[in-house]
């Protein structure tokens, strides 16, 4: 039963992130490569990408090393969410919401974001460099590998916006029935 539970857990991680990659691609935030779905409606390219990434993570080391590198992005996501809550409540206070916290909670969210940022940016590398963690050795390289993986989002986003979307924009301006040729940034 334990092995079946682990397999189910791995499948949930792979399928959930594949759908996320597919949706990010559909929303214009990730390369169009991930928009492909097979005849069952499954985002197959995103799924294969996730399986490959999961196999690479398995070779990273033991559980503590894997937790260190994989949680960098997850924990970093809390800070922009809290700041986003503050900005939304400040700039659009009258937007209809299913649940509304008191107005003063936006300042609590901002304070939590500031405290969390100190803990994250100071405490993360400090604990990862300490041999007092469960691995008994420094996991600081894995912390920075996690940051590298997190920052890989930027070139993929820029590729989508600066290459794929601009390529599609030049095709839109072409006359029907003619091919658009791009020469030195000018469509002919």
């Amino acid at each position: 039963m334990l092995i079946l539970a682990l397999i189910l857990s791995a499948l949930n991680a792979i399928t959930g992130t594949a759908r996320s990659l597919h949706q990010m691609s559909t929303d214009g935030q990730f390369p169009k490569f991930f928009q492909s779905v097979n005849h069952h409606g499954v985002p197959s390219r995103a799924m294969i990408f996730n399986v490959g990434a999961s196999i690479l993570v398995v070779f990273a080391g033991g559980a503590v090393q894997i937790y260190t590198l994989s949680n960098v992005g997850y924990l970093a996501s809390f800070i922009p969410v809290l700041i986003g809550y503050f900005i939304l409540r400040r700039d659009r206070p009258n937007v209809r919401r299913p649940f509304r916290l008191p107005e003063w909670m936006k300042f609590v969210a901002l304070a939590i974001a500031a405290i969390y940022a100190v803990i994250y940016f100071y405490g993360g590398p400090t604990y990862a460099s300490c041999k007092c963690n469960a691995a008994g050795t420094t996991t600081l390289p894995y912390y920075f590998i996690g940051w590298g993986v997190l920052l890989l989002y930027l070139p993929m986003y820029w590729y989508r916006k600066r290459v794929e979307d601009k390529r599609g924009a030049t095709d839109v301006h072409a006359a029907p029935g003619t091919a658009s040729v791009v020469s030195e940034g000018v469509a002919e």
Side-chain angles (χ1 to χ4, degrees), residues 96-181:
R96 184 165 144 55
R97 297 172 178 90
F99 179 78
R100 183 184 297 266
L101 290 172
E103 186 68 22
W104 55 269
M105 286 300 288
K106 69 181 180 186
F107 298 109
V108 172
L110 196 58
I112 291 171
I115 292 167
Y116 189 72
V118 170
I119 292 170
Y120 182 76
F121 290 112
Y122 174 74
T126 301
Y127 182 73
S129 62
C130 179
K131 293 182 180 179
C132 60
N133 62 34
T137 183
T138 181
T139 56
L140 191 60
Y142 297 95
Y143 178 81
F144 289 117
I145 292 170
W147 266 103
V149 170
L150 180 64
L151 292 174
L152 281 176
Y153 169 76
L154 294 174
M156 292 183 146
Y157 177 79
W158 288 331
Y159 175 77
R160 172 63 186 260
K161 293 298 179 185
R162 295 185 180 169
V163 175
E164 290 182 344
D165 287 351
K166 289 201 182 208
R167 188 180 315 142
T170 57
D171 292 342
V172 169
H173 299 297
T178 62
S180 81
V181 177

Side-chain angles (χ1 to χ4, degrees), residues 37-108:
V37 293
N38 65 14
H39 63 280
H40 296 292
V42 175
S44 52
R45 290 180 183 170
M47 184 91 57
I48 291 169
F49 178 82
N50 287 334
V51 169
S54 296
I55 290 170
L56 287 175
V57 168
V58 167
F59 290 110
V64 176
Q65 290 84 359
I66 292 171
Y67 290 145
T68 301
L69 82 90
S70 65
N71 284 326
V72 168
Y74 171 70
L75 295 174
S77 69
F78 296 158
I79 298 169
V81 167
L82 291 165
I83 294 171
Y85 172 76
F86 172 81
I87 292 170
L88 181 66
R89 287 302 300 265
R90 183 192 66 196
D91 294 347
R92 301 186 68 192
N94 298 323
V95 171
R96 184 165 144 55
R97 297 172 178 90
F99 179 78
R100 183 184 297 266
L101 290 172
E103 186 68 22
W104 55 269
M105 286 300 288
K106 69 181 180 186
F107 298 109
V108 172

Side-chain angles (χ1 to χ4, degrees), residues 17-54:
T17 52
R19 288 280 175 199
S20 297
L21 287 175
H22 172 72
Q23 189 62 49
M24 287 171 57
S25 179
T26 302
D27 291 343
Q29 299 174 356
F30 226 56
K32 291 180 181 180
F33 173 81
F34 295 103
Q35 286 181 10
S36 174
V37 293
N38 65 14
H39 63 280
H40 296 292
V42 175
S44 52
R45 290 180 183 170
M47 184 91 57
I48 291 169
F49 178 82
N50 287 334
V51 169
S54 296

